[in-house]
Amino acid sequence: MLDKTGIAKRIAKEVKDGMYINLGIGIPTLVANYIPTSLNVVLQSENGLLGIGPFPTEQEVDPDLINAGKQTITMMPGSALFSSAESFAMIRGGHVDLTILGAMEVSENGDIANWKVPGKMVKGMGGAMDLVASAKHIIVAMQHCSKEGASKLLRQCTLPITGIRCVKKIVSDLAVLDVLPEGGFKLLERAPGVTVTEIQQATAGKLIIEGEIPEMVF
Amino acid sequence: MINKVVFGAEEAVRDIGDNAVLMLGGFGLCGIPENCIHALLKKGIKGLTCISNNAGVDDFGIGLLLKTRQVKKMISSYVGENAEFERQLLSGELEVELIPQGTLAERIRAGGAGIPAFFTPAGVGTEVATGKEVREFHGKKYLLEAWLRADFSIVKAWKGDTTGNLVYRGTARNFNPMMATAGKITIAEVEELVPVGELDPNYIHTPGIYVQRIFQGKNYEKRIEQRTLSK
């Protein structure tokens, strides 16, 4: 079973040279720490920056430089700054190659729910609906089950959805899965020490298992 | 050049009355018009509709106007950092319209650019689509969204000149440039007000045509929400 760092490390392996990437808040933000330095990638922050750098030192802290999670950041050499309208133009226009975000639920046809729990405080969708509606490739970082043990990989989402038929890949604490265009979670890899049976028990939606399922390699 | 300088925040907001529709720039607490928010607080006007990506925190930004119950309605994309906001929302004292962030940015841009409506994929198949026209283009579904405009747009820039040309700094730009175009009256507060001719025309972000009033703000706090340092 993977912890949050493990999920981030495994997702980092999906990153390819030359990609422009938008990272969501939470585990997706951690992915930046594990992208090999040999790859040239550019991280987009939807509040108006291409080229997110590392977190600043005490001396470098600048209140005019934050990421979408409102954390202080720095800029890489070659960065570009722009307005929120320009930012979402590049997102909707399909110029961002990869979007990595968290989810509360994903359905077997690729619907994602990650913005609202009825009866609880509604904080808003932020940029999530724009991102999922337009991204060329979406990888979801999530826990396979709730704290109570209920599966979050479902036939249909029970929570209000953020976008339809958009998730392509999931990296959970238990497995790596593709969401197939015709529907269904195709099991690709098991987390270290996790059995196929355990993944089957934790997946409420249609799970497709073909041949031997390898354990993740880091 | 036309001179748009006013003495300060109080003069800039002098004719904003009860029930006005305002746009306020900023993302989180980054790039918010601190001086004008304090002037609105002091003025005590009520029933405001505030179009702003976020709603500040309990004791800073738009949160200050929520505390004094000067805000009737918020139009935002994310409002999660504010306990007083939550209380007013749950008790029904405050109306809230939540809009996907890119749609919010584009509705404001459209308002300033004279485009009354446009189609966007964000929100298709979700509750955001309720009551909206859906149309298919090239095999994909899109929602019809209308422009947003305001009685007053209040923006914050880094530098500005006396004729209203503006330059923003870092990610404090965010919603400010579009909002500057979408207000009947646009008020700009800047950290540094310079004479005409000092800003390089090649690097102006907001041309002065959009700005009606400008002043140099003071005592900027620029509060940081999540001070995160490298290890």
Side-chain angles (χ1 to χ4, degrees):
Chain A
M1 203 154 113
L2 300 177
D3 58 8
K4 287 178 180 178
T5 308
I7 295 174
K9 278 184 182 167
R10 178 59 191 81
I11 291 177
K13 290 186 66 183
E14 300 292 318
V15 171
K16 295 183 179 65
D17 195 44
M19 276 184 163
Y20 287 88
I21 305 169
N22 181 288
L23 301 177
I25 294 162
I27 299 174
T29 305
L30 298 176
V31 173
N33 301 336
Y34 304 105
I35 298 172
T37 48
S38 58
L39 300 184
N40 286 306
V41 299
V42 177
L43 303 180
Q44 200 247 19
S45 196
E46 65 257 30
N47 56 322
L49 170 64
L50 274 172
I52 306 173
F55 292 122
T57 62
E58 189 74 56
Q59 291 72 34
E60 288 171 331
V61 166
D62 180 347
D64 289 338
L65 265 188
I66 62 168
N67 64 16
K70 283 109 181 173
Q71 294 171 304
T72 45
I73 50 164
T74 59
M75 290 188 283
M76 298 297 284
S79 285
L81 293 157
F82 37 85
S83 72
S84 303
E86 179 90 48
S87 175
F88 283 94
M90 54 186 82
I91 289 166
R92 278 191 311 265
H95 306 281
V96 176
D97 300 300
L98 175 61
T99 292
I100 302 169
L101 74 177
M104 298 193 264
E105 292 177 351
V106 174
S107 76
E108 64 189 29
N109 65 355
D111 295 354
I112 179 172
N114 71 352
W115 79 282
K116 183 177 184 180
V117 181
K120 291 200 179 161
M121 172 57 188
V122 180
K123 293 176 188 294
M125 66 291 281
M129 283 191 183
D130 310 88
L131 282 160
V132 301
S134 305
K136 281 188 265 183
H137 188 34
I138 298 177
I139 301 178
V140 162
M142 66 189 294
Q143 304 298 326
H144 215 102
C145 296
S146 68
K147 284 188 186 114
E148 294 75 34
S151 177
K152 297 174 162 197
L153 277 65
L154 306 169
R155 293 201 62 191
Q156 283 186 317
C157 292
T158 63
L159 295 169
I161 61 172
T162 311
I164 50 171
R165 296 178 175 274
C166 52
V167 176
K168 304 280 198 319
K169 191 178 276 278
I170 297 168
V171 178
S172 77
D173 51 340
L174 302 183
V176 180
L177 312 102
D178 270 349
V179 182
L180 299 181
E182 64 272 24
F185 301 107
K186 184 169 186 204
L187 184 58
L188 301 177
E189 297 173 24
R190 297 172 289 117
V194 175
T195 64
V196 169
T197 311
E198 284 170 315
I199 296 164
Q200 280 175 310
Q201 284 165 353
T203 308
K206 184 180 172 190
L207 185 68
I208 298 155
I209 304 163
E210 286 172 4
E212 282 294 302
I213 306 300
E215 196 171 280
M216 289 176 204
V217 182
F218 288 92
Chain B
M1 283 285 178
I2 305 165
N3 189 322
K4 308 200 176 148
V5 178
V6 294
F7 180 71
E10 283 174 38
E11 190 189 341
V13 306
R14 63 186 183 266
D15 51 354
I16 302 182
D18 289 347
N19 305 310
V21 176
L22 308 180
M23 287 185 185
L24 295 120
F27 181 96
L29 300 178
C30 183
I32 61 171
E34 294 182 21
N35 281 241
C36 283
I37 290 170
H38 281 102
L40 291 171
L41 189 69
K42 197 172 161 195
K43 201 168 156 62
I45 46 170
K46 305 243 183 255
L48 299 173
T49 295
C50 293
I51 302 169
S52 181
N53 188 55
N54 311 93
V57 295
D58 275 332
D59 58 348
F60 204 60
I62 295 175
L64 294 168
L65 301 172
L66 289 167
K67 213 174 214 173
T68 49
R69 303 198 188 174
Q70 289 173 257
V71 182
K72 177 181 70 183
K73 183 175 182 182
M74 283 300 312
I75 299 178
S76 304
S77 87
Y78 189 83
V79 292
E81 345 272 0
N82 195 315
E84 174 62 14
F85 182 96
E86 183 171 347
R87 192 197 65 72
Q88 289 185 22
L89 179 62
L90 295 175
S91 70
E93 291 164 64
L94 182 69
E95 263 180 81
V96 178
E97 187 180 339
L98 292 168
I99 298 177
Q101 195 174 134
T103 301
L104 179 63
E106 193 63 13
R107 286 178 68 183
I108 297 165
R109 197 197 71 79
I115 306 286
F118 58 91
F119 284 96
T120 178
V124 169
T126 75
E127 62 182 56
V128 166
T130 309
K132 288 175 189 160
E133 183 186 336
V134 177
R135 205 184 288 182
E136 201 170 299
F137 297 91
H138 307 288
K140 187 170 168 171
K141 291 190 170 99
Y142 296 83
L143 291 185
L144 184 66
E145 294 279 4
W147 66 8
L148 278 172
R149 302 205 278 184
D151 298 323
F152 293 87
S153 281
I154 306 176
V155 303
K156 153 79 186 359
W158 178 37
K159 291 181 180 178
D161 67 19
T162 54
T163 201
N165 293 309
L166 303 177
V167 177
Y168 308 95
R169 185 173 175 277
T171 54
R173 190 180 321 183
N174 55 65
F175 282 79
N176 285 296
M178 297 83 77
M179 288 184 173
T181 70
K184 280 182 206 150
I185 300 281
T186 290
I187 299 164
E189 57 172 87
V190 299
E191 287 176 56
E192 191 184 346
L193 184 64
V194 301
V196 157
E198 205 156 294
L199 298 176
D200 184 340
N202 287 298
Y203 296 98
I204 301 293
H205 295 134
T206 292
I209 190 171
Y210 298 117
V211 176
Q212 280 70 46
R213 299 171 193 170
I214 189 165
F215 68 95
Q216 181 168 307
K218 54 188 179 192
N219 304 326
Y220 281 104
E221 188 178 332
K222 292 199 184 182
R223 200 182 288 188
I224 292 171
E225 273 180 81
Q226 306 285 341
R227 179 180 291 268
T228 311
L229 302 175
S230 59
K231 294 195 184 92

